[in-house]
Each structure stands twice: as structure tokens, then as C-alpha cells.
Amino acid sequence: MADHLLFPGGVHPKDGKSISFSMPIQSAPLLEEYTIPLSQHIGTPAQPIVKRGQRVLKGQKIAEATDNISAHIHAPTSGEITSVSKHPITGEMLAMTNCIGPAGHMVSSLVITSDGEDKEGFTLMPIEEWQSIDKKILLERIKEAGIVGMGGAAFPTHVKLNPPQGKRPDTLIINGAECEPFLTADHRLMLEEPEKIIEGILMMKYILGAKTVYIGIERNKPDAIKTMKKHLREGIEVRELRVLYPQGSEKQLIYALTKRKVRMGTLPMEVNCIVQNIGTAFAVFEAIVMGKPLFERITTITGEPVVRPGNWRLRIGTSIGDALKMAGGVKDPEKVGKILIGGPMMGLAQFSLDTPIMKSGSGVTLLNKDEIVQYTSVPCIRCGRCVDVCPMNLMPSTMSIQAMKERFDLLEEWHVMDCLECGCCSYVCPSQRPLVQLFRLGKSHVLKKRQRELEKLKAKG
Amino acid sequence: MIEAVLFMASTGMILSTVIALANRFLAVETDPRIEAVEEMLPGANCGGCGYSGCPAFAKAIIEESVEPGLCPVSSGDEAQRIASYTGMEPVFSEPYVALVKCCGDNTRSPERALYNGVNDCNAAINVAGATKSCQHGCLGLGSCSRACPFNAIEIDEELRIAIVHPNLCVGCGKCIESCPRDMITMVPKSAPIHILCNSPEKAPIQRKLCTRGCIGCQRCARQAPESIKMVNFLATIDYDNPPHDLSLVDTCPVDRIHTSLGIDYIPAPKKKKGAIKSLECHKVLGVAPQASEAEINKAFADKIVHYDISLIIKMDEEEQKQAIMESEKISQAYKDCLAFDPSAHTVKEGQ
């Protein structure tokens, strides 16, 4: 039945989920220090509203969204703001400091030193009877709780759930595909908290006014499908998806479930669909019914080198090093070849154990040296495998040559901006060409060019 | 046969008439002076003058009376010729060269991870902020080198750093845009002292990242306050009023002086100027490093004569072994001496 529920292209890499899928979600021990980056979402970074040395409570808002596409940030525990830096011009002491972000750049952040009491300070009142409450209040609550998309892109949820005027999305899609190899956070959450997830989905359905809700789950998680089906309510449907990467990508998931095609350069809103993640549904439930802001998430710590791989309820701001300590460290530090935030396909390689896990950090994956291939790329042999597997129907072979010749104008014409950076093309390439990296380079050039054009337009008036 | 010839001849006549008429009535009027000036320009189309290329610049010279001296490539004589052709007084602009504000090669600012991707700075910067420890330093993957139309920027593949050759650089400024870390600037060619660091970090952080980074001690700024300013924790030269006192170099704390200041990036201070270090092979043969081939031949012949096979046969076993080893050593040294190139081992001035 489910064989047609897929999209063109895609690959099936070694999934590695057996390492951690049977491990129940554990709560993480309280740490001494949390480093909280101010830009954990797409959009403008949040502005800190606490001073250096100020005592904060768990769940207290410590940074505020500056404009509409932004999200609040809350303290993961009670303690003191200890980070400090000097304003470059005024010399004023600020509460911010710099830390290494997952992308490797320095990002401004707040540091909280825990006082060990873990005192709660939720300012949001629990809402029990949410069915009888105005949608706007619920939306405001989601905004106040600082909820962002937990799948990876971290787009602020209150913006996504508030479609622009004239758009009436009729389908809400819940992404339980978790197509990324090694990660099992959503899988565990579906097994352990199905009722809360369904409740959260119903809330989102109510806010959107959607008619149908699909929960798309890949067929390699039969127990999750069974559990979710058991707790289904009216208007919600569980759809089994074929196991294929990148099934969990927004546009691919919409096509697989509804056969609607999102045109390039547009949002899923155009085809009346909204996609939300399992983790987001759970966070929405907690925010509304318990009044709990988003300061912890389920994160998979996995990989062959980890002593006790598993799924943890980690507070935002836990560094990779601390997370690995919880998992018992690594078996042989000599053998570890790569540390990634996220999974092996789309994850970001890290060079420091101090990098904090953010709202979008669905996993920490460690790979052994023998699992990593250090290759030298050779010229394209025109086999066309990358064209076959590209889920966006692009032509990576030709585009990579354009990027190498620095023809970024041609790349733009060939729709490089539609590339998901899913890595299917690099995965299958027999010449081992760094395709995704070339497209990323092309994208950055195209964005720069567009920026320049915008500035020219502005200068002209 | 005759028809064909006639046909071809008449077709030729008609078409040539058309071309002659077109040349007469459809001719586009151009200023012949523009073409003449364009001839005199170098034709590199680098855009260093600020116009889109040499033809556009030639047009600007004639029509807008732009200074021919703006062209960074042409020498003074060429500009003089153009100026006298157009009847202008030549004004020479100060020649500029590119300066890569970094001397932190990977022995000084080590790579923090293994990078095995696209060999381009702009691509590497998207992968975890590139692998060099210093977040402001040169990545040495050669984006600027490829952007340079004059091959003036060299990349040291082993040390991973960009080196500008001031003699080749014309100051067109194409490299500035190609650098993802905005660390290439144009400086007057005559300025003798430069600060080869781009990192505004504080000393404790800077020390961990790079052994040659500016630590913001302000010593040079205090000695030459009118020409060196502090920007955050980075000493920055004001090139409108560049310092000329070479003793400034000595004010920079130990280990950072030689390389943080000085126009050429210098890999590592090794030897005194002009000195050629004698290698092991010269010691074995007992010749000077500058020795000519004839001298080396003679020295070799003198040495090897003691290890002639007729002499070796007469020795006992222990002595034979030693003699053979010795003779092998001498022939190896002879080969090395012949292959030795003194000019490659001579160090330029200023180290």
C-alpha cells in the first residue's frame, strides 16, 4: 500500500539506527555550566534581557525575539549569568560572550552557571481547556515559549502556524520520517509519549484550522507506527512511508503524502500544506498544557565509538563534551574520526567539544576512522547517477562543473538555490566529487550577488 | 567554364559595390584618438583603473580627460606618452600593491581539523568556519591567487599561506573581493613597514590561536602614535601617513617582530644575509660551498685515490669494511656537491 508514498530520487544509506533505537529516553544530570547561543533559529538573533551576575530561574526568559521571525530563549536551569565581554566601542560590560557555534563560526551567547537547586520559574500559566480558547492566545503562547522547528531548520513555529492572509492551509503534515541515518530521537519520542504528541498535533490542527492531518512515518519503525495508530484521534491519519532518504525533507514529504508539488522558490503554504516535526508537536503540548518553555529536547547520542549510546532529554546549551560524558565517553579516543551535530548525511562536523547543542540539535553522531572515507575526487565520468538520485530533479553533474569553472551565473539559471544539500549526489558519486560543497559555494556566491543587487536598488531609491 | 568565371566576377563586383557603399554611408564615427590611446595602454583589462577595461579607460581619457596615470599597470613612461599624446600634464599616482595581512602559516597557526574538500577559500569557510585555528587569518587555499590576472600571488602549498610578490603586483585590487576574510588591502608600494596580522582578538585568545599574531601590546602605537592606531586589539597602520622608521620593527615583542612587520611574508628566519651554509657533503670533500665543478672534481679525485681497489685488497677484513663505507660516503658526497645549487640556499636581505 505504501509503495507509492515516495518521491523521485533519493538514496538508502546504511541507517545505523539499531545502535540507539532500543534505548529509552533518559533525563540528563544537571551540569555546572550551560552555554546558550543567541541565534538558535532562522532569522535575527535574540537580544539578551539579563545582566551579568543576575540570578535566573529555570524557564525564565533570558533573551527576547527582536522581530517577527525570531524566537525567545529561556534559561535551562536556575543559576547565575556568568559570561562577560566588553562592548567594543562603549566599553560597557555585557552579559554576552562568544562561543563556537555548530557551523564553526563564533556566535554570541550567554553562559549560565548552575546553582544546583534547579528552581523552576515558569511564568506561563498552564492552559487545560485549550479547545475553548482563542487561537491567537495559543499562538502567542507558542511564541512566548520560544518554540522553533525541531527537525533541524529551526524556523520559528509561531510564524509557520500563522499563515499569511488569504492562505488557508487544509493539510497539516507531521514529519515522523526521521530519514537521517543514526538518529532515533523522534522514534523514541513517538514510542514513549504518543498521547502528548497527538494532543500537540490536535492543538496545531485547531490553530491552523486544517481538515486533514497526516503523520508520515517510515516503515523501518513498525513499533512507532503501531503505537501512534493505537492513540489516533479523529481527523488524524498515520501514513507509512517507504524507507528512503531524504523522505523527511519538507517538499519531498508533501509530494509523497499528497502528490502536491511545491514550485521552486515558494513555500509549502502555496500548496496549502504545513509540515511540522514530531518534536515540535511535543513541545507545543508542553508549552500549552504545562506552561513549560522550550529549554530541553530529545537528542540522540550515538555512533560506534560511544560507550553507552542512547537518547537523552538534554537541556539547551549542553556542550558536546558533557553530552558524551553522559553517554559514558568513547571507547577508544584514538579511533574517533569525526564528531557531527546531526546525522551523517546532513550533520555539521565539529572540531571542538565545547560546541553547545541548540534547539535544533537532534543528535550527536560519532564516527570511527574506518567509517570515514578520505578520498581524492577525480573528474566526472558522466554516469548520471547523481541526476537519478537528486530529489529536487537537478543536474548535479553539470552544475558541479559550472561551479568549478566559477560560472555562478549559470549555476543560478540551473536552480542551484533549490538544492537541499541533502548529499544524495555526493553519496552515490563514483568519482567522489565534492558536489554538495560546490553547490554550497555556488549558493553563497548567488546570495552575495543578490545582496549586491538589492543594495544597488536601494541606493537608486 | 566561361559562364562560371563571368558569374563569379559579376557577383564579386556587385557585392564589393555594396560594401563600398555601406562603408561610405553606414560608417560609425569613432574618435581615432581613442584607438591610439588604447594601443598605448597595456591591454590587460584588469580594471585596476576603476573602469571596466582598457577600451573604456581609453574612452574616458579622451572624453572625460581622466588621468592616464590611474592605470596601475603601465609604467611612468607609458603614462607620459599617453599624456603627451592627449596634451595633458601627467600626474602620477602613487603605485599600490596588495598586502595579505597575515603571516600565520600552519606552523604558527595550526590546522584544527582535517579538511578534504574543495580547494577554495570561499568553499572552505562554509565548512565549520575553515580549518585554520585563527578565525581571521589566511586560509592559503588560493582564491586570491586564482583571481589575480598578473600571477602576483603565490600560495605556499605546504605552509598554506598567500605570498604577494610586490614586483608583479600592479594594485588592481581584484584579490580584495575574492578573499572571504577581507584581509587583503592595497598599500602604497613605498611604505616600508606593515603589520601582518588581521586578528582583533585579545592577547590570551590570540596567543592560543597563532604564535605570530598581534597581541595588542600597543608598543609600536606608542612609539609612532601618528601613524599606528589601535583598532580593538590590533595595531593598524594609517597608510596616509605610513611610518618610515625601521626601528619600529624592534619594538614588537620577541617572536612576532620579524614577521609581523615587513613587506614580504618571510617563512622563518634562518640565516644571515648572503651566507651559504656548507652542507655535510662539502665537509666530507673539504670544499667551499661556492666551489666550481672543477674544484669539486679535483677534491673528489684526491680523496678517492686512498680507497683504490688495489689498496683495499691488501687490508684485513675489518679495515676493508670501513674503507668501502668511507668510499661510498665520498662518492655520495661528490654527487650531492654537483647537484648543490648555491643560489637556492642564499637568503635575501632583511632576515
Side-chain angles (χ1 to χ4, degrees):
Chain A
M1 170 247 163
D3 275 347
H4 67 288
L5 293 184
L6 78 162
F7 54 92
V11 292
H12 182 58
K14 171 196 163 192
D15 77 354
K17 292 192 193 258
S18 56
I19 299 173
S20 61
F21 89 93
S22 56
M23 311 301 267
I25 297 170
Q26 305 169 45
S27 48
L30 192 64
L31 298 174
E32 279 174 18
E33 208 174 79
Y34 293 92
T35 310
I36 302 136
L38 292 171
S39 182
Q40 307 199 14
H41 43 262
I42 286 182
T44 37
Q47 195 64 37
I49 51 169
V50 285
K51 291 199 187 85
R52 183 196 169 205
Q54 186 178 332
R55 299 196 67 78
V56 291
L57 295 174
K58 179 168 141 186
Q60 186 181 333
K61 199 198 290 176
I62 51 175
E64 207 160 40
T66 39
D67 63 7
N68 200 19
I69 303 185
S70 187
H72 301 315
I73 292 165
H74 302 82
T77 185
S78 61
E80 196 180 325
I81 305 278
T82 47
S83 54
V84 57
S85 74
K86 216 177 191 176
H87 193 282
I89 299 160
T90 60
E92 184 192 351
M93 296 303 246
L94 296 175
M96 277 186 284
T97 183
N98 279 338
C99 81
I100 302 156
H105 303 283
M106 298 305 271
V107 290
S108 44
S109 55
L110 294 166
V111 176
I112 293 182
T113 305
S114 162
D115 58 7
E117 290 169 21
D118 209 17
K119 224 186 244 169
E120 271 184 22
F122 298 172
T123 47
L124 306 172
M125 291 296 291
I127 303 173
E128 295 283 348
E129 299 284 316
W130 55 268
Q131 287 94 337
S132 54
I133 282 179
D134 190 43
K135 290 171 189 176
K136 277 190 183 146
I137 296 173
L138 292 183
L139 261 181
E140 187 58 32
R141 164 59 57 92
I142 290 172
K143 187 183 174 184
E144 277 302 309
I147 296 176
V148 298
M150 311 276 271
F155 192 80
T157 303
H158 66 272
V159 184
K160 221 174 180 182
L161 286 179
N162 193 9
Q165 277 193 338
K167 293 269 179 287
R168 288 202 139 269
D170 58 3
T171 314
L172 172 65
I173 294 173
I174 303 298
N175 180 2
E178 202 164 48
C179 58
E180 182 79 34
F182 284 83
L183 303 187
T184 54
D186 288 351
H187 184 182
R188 279 319 298 183
L189 196 60
M190 282 191 279
L191 285 181
E192 294 181 24
E193 308 278 8
E195 286 160 1
K196 291 182 182 171
I197 292 170
I198 296 282
E199 192 83 0
I201 293 171
L202 285 175
M203 289 169 191
M204 290 200 279
K205 187 185 172 214
Y206 169 67
I207 292 170
L208 275 176
K211 284 187 204 100
T212 36
V213 180
Y214 294 124
I215 305 176
I217 305 173
E218 273 190 1
R219 283 199 297 184
N220 60 356
K221 299 182 256 294
D223 44 352
I225 294 171
K226 215 171 164 187
T227 324
M228 292 306 280
K229 273 190 176 162
K230 211 189 274 172
H231 295 87
L232 276 192
R233 304 264 197 91
E234 215 189 323
I236 304 180
E237 208 176 309
V238 169
R239 288 280 183 100
E240 296 174 32
L241 301 165
R242 220 168 97 175
V243 185
L244 200 62
Y245 174 86
Q247 187 77 270
S249 162
E250 203 168 53
K251 288 174 185 180
Q252 278 58 40
L253 193 65
I254 291 174
Y255 182 74
L257 287 172
T258 65
K259 293 283 174 269
R260 296 178 195 173
K261 277 186 186 167
V262 184
R263 278 193 302 124
M264 62 194 184
T266 60
L267 292 171
M269 207 80 83
E270 292 294 320
V271 294
N272 298 330
C273 286
I274 299 279
V275 181
Q276 293 287 3
N277 189 268
I278 289 281
T280 318
F282 183 65
V284 165
F285 169 83
E286 284 198 324
I288 293 178
V289 174
M290 295 156 69
K292 182 182 160 193
L294 180 62
F295 59 79
E296 55 184 15
R297 66 154 297 135
I298 317 296
T299 299
T300 309
I301 303 163
T302 181
E304 213 55 67
V306 182
V307 174
R308 285 197 307 275
N311 306 288
W312 268 266
R313 193 184 297 272
L314 287 188
R315 293 169 206 243
I316 306 295
T318 308
S319 69
I320 303 180
D322 287 331
L324 281 177
K325 257 182 227 160
M326 286 172 208
V330 290
K331 287 171 196 159
D332 186 357
E334 290 290 305
K335 275 191 186 167
V336 179
K338 210 176 208 178
I339 300 175
L340 298 147
I341 283 194
M345 291 299 275
M346 285 198 77
L348 297 162
Q350 302 299 316
F351 58 84
S352 164
L353 286 177
D354 297 332
T355 316
I357 289 161
M358 311 205 298
K359 287 177 185 176
S360 55
S362 47
V364 177
T365 310
L366 270 72
L367 296 174
N368 265 335
K369 272 183 186 150
D370 52 354
E371 287 175 297
I372 302 166
V373 191
Q374 287 297 338
Y375 51 76
T376 32
S377 60
V378 290
C380 174
I381 57 167
R382 266 86 169 171
C383 65
R385 284 187 215 178
C386 51
V387 183
D388 286 344
V389 297
C390 181
M392 295 307 286
N393 297 328
L394 301 176
M395 287 186 63
S397 50
T398 315
M399 285 159 63
S400 75
I401 294 163
Q402 289 166 352
M404 281 185 139
K405 303 267 181 226
E406 310 207 342
R407 289 297 306 272
F408 301 115
D409 52 330
L410 274 179
L411 260 182
E412 195 181 0
E413 276 175 36
W414 286 58
H415 307 297
V416 73
M417 296 311 280
D418 281 316
C419 172
L420 297 172
E421 302 176 20
C422 65
C424 290
C425 48
S426 307
Y427 180 80
V428 295
C429 182
S431 292
Q432 286 153 340
R433 290 164 68 75
L435 299 166
V436 177
Q437 206 196 353
L438 285 169
F439 302 150
R440 245 187 229 183
L441 173 66
K443 275 175 149 183
S444 67
H445 274 275
V446 171
L447 279 178
K448 247 188 231 167
K449 193 190 115 202
R450 288 188 183 171
Q451 191 71 30
R452 271 203 300 272
E453 276 168 8
L454 255 181
E455 273 165 23
K456 261 188 202 168
L457 272 181
K458 266 185 195 166
K460 276 182 189 171
Chain B
M1 172 67 190
I2 192 86
E3 292 96 330
V5 171
L6 279 177
F7 176 74
M8 289 307 290
S10 55
T11 316
M13 286 291 278
I14 293 165
L15 288 179
S16 57
T17 320
V18 171
I19 291 170
L21 288 174
N23 188 32
R24 180 77 184 253
F25 295 106
L26 302 175
V28 180
E29 295 242 335
T30 48
D31 196 332
R33 291 178 301 161
I34 296 180
E35 268 174 43
V37 169
E38 201 188 320
E39 286 279 292
M40 284 186 247
L41 286 171
N45 287 321
C46 65
C49 51
Y51 294 86
S52 59
C54 291
F57 184 50
K59 204 176 167 194
I61 290 177
I62 297 298
E63 289 177 0
E64 300 161 29
S65 301
V66 175
E67 275 307 321
L70 275 180
C71 176
V73 188
S74 52
S75 63
D77 292 346
E78 281 163 344
Q80 181 80 51
R81 261 178 70 207
I82 298 170
S84 56
Y85 180 81
T86 53
M88 285 188 284
E89 268 306 293
V91 178
F92 296 107
S93 52
E94 159 99 69
Y96 273 69
V97 288
L99 174 76
V100 176
K101 288 193 287 181
C102 181
C103 61
D105 56 34
N106 58 14
T107 58
R108 290 157 185 173
S109 180
E111 312 259 324
R112 60 189 180 185
L114 187 65
Y115 175 70
N116 187 21
V118 181
N119 212 10
D120 183 284
C121 305
N122 287 294
I125 204 113
N126 289 340
V127 183
T131 51
K132 190 155 259 180
S133 304
C134 178
Q135 288 286 293
H136 310 272
C138 175
L139 300 174
L141 293 172
S143 284
C144 52
S145 163
R146 281 189 292 278
C148 181
F150 301 97
N151 288 337
I153 304 182
E154 182 196 337
I155 296 292
D156 193 314
E157 296 280 339
E158 251 174 56
L159 295 171
R160 285 269 166 247
I161 195 151
I163 305 163
V164 180
H165 292 280
N167 298 335
L168 293 173
C169 177
V170 300
C172 69
K174 281 219 161 161
C175 46
I176 296 179
E177 223 174 83
S178 70
C179 182
R181 287 194 161 162
D182 293 334
M183 50 180 292
I184 304 181
T185 48
M186 287 299 147
V187 299
K189 208 168 185 173
S190 60
I193 296 173
H194 304 278
I195 293 171
L196 297 185
C197 185
N198 187 38
S199 169
E201 299 284 359
K202 284 181 234 173
I205 302 171
Q206 189 58 50
R207 278 222 173 100
K208 275 182 211 158
L209 298 177
C210 177
T211 55
R212 300 291 160 114
C214 175
I215 53 167
C217 67
Q218 306 192 5
R219 273 199 215 175
C220 52
R222 251 178 266 144
Q223 191 173 338
E226 67 290 338
S227 39
I228 298 183
K229 302 264 171 338
M230 298 300 294
V231 177
N232 287 346
F233 292 91
L234 175 64
T236 311
I237 289 179
D238 176 11
Y239 283 104
D240 293 337
N241 179 23
H244 287 276
D245 182 8
L246 286 176
S247 67
L248 259 183
V249 173
D250 299 329
T251 62
C252 195
V254 196
D255 267 19
R256 292 175 187 84
I257 42 172
H258 303 290
T259 48
S260 289
L261 304 162
I263 177 97
D264 271 326
Y265 157 78
I266 302 153
K270 282 178 202 154
K271 292 155 268 177
K272 288 271 155 55
K273 60 178 174 180
I276 307 171
K277 199 183 161 198
S278 8
L279 300 181
E280 193 58 39
C281 58
H282 298 115
K283 281 178 195 158
V284 171
L285 286 191
V287 292
Q290 298 95 332
S292 68
E293 201 176 319
E295 281 169 9
I296 296 169
N297 279 337
K298 191 171 172 289
F300 173 66
D302 286 350
K303 287 259 171 191
I304 203 73
V305 81
H306 303 297
Y307 302 101
D308 193 81
I309 191 77
S310 56
L311 297 173
I312 291 175
I313 292 169
K314 289 172 196 163
M315 297 172 185
D316 60 20
E317 209 172 312
E318 199 66 9
E319 276 177 339
Q320 265 184 6
K321 262 189 196 167
Q322 222 165 22
I324 289 168
M325 265 171 61
E326 203 67 49
S327 66
E328 273 173 3
K329 203 171 147 192
I330 289 169
S331 20
Q332 186 59 43
Y334 172 65
K335 276 182 208 161
D336 288 351
C337 279
L338 286 183
F340 180 72
D341 176 15
S343 64
H345 289 258
T346 315
V347 182
K348 279 184 224 158
E349 280 187 33
Q351 291 198 11

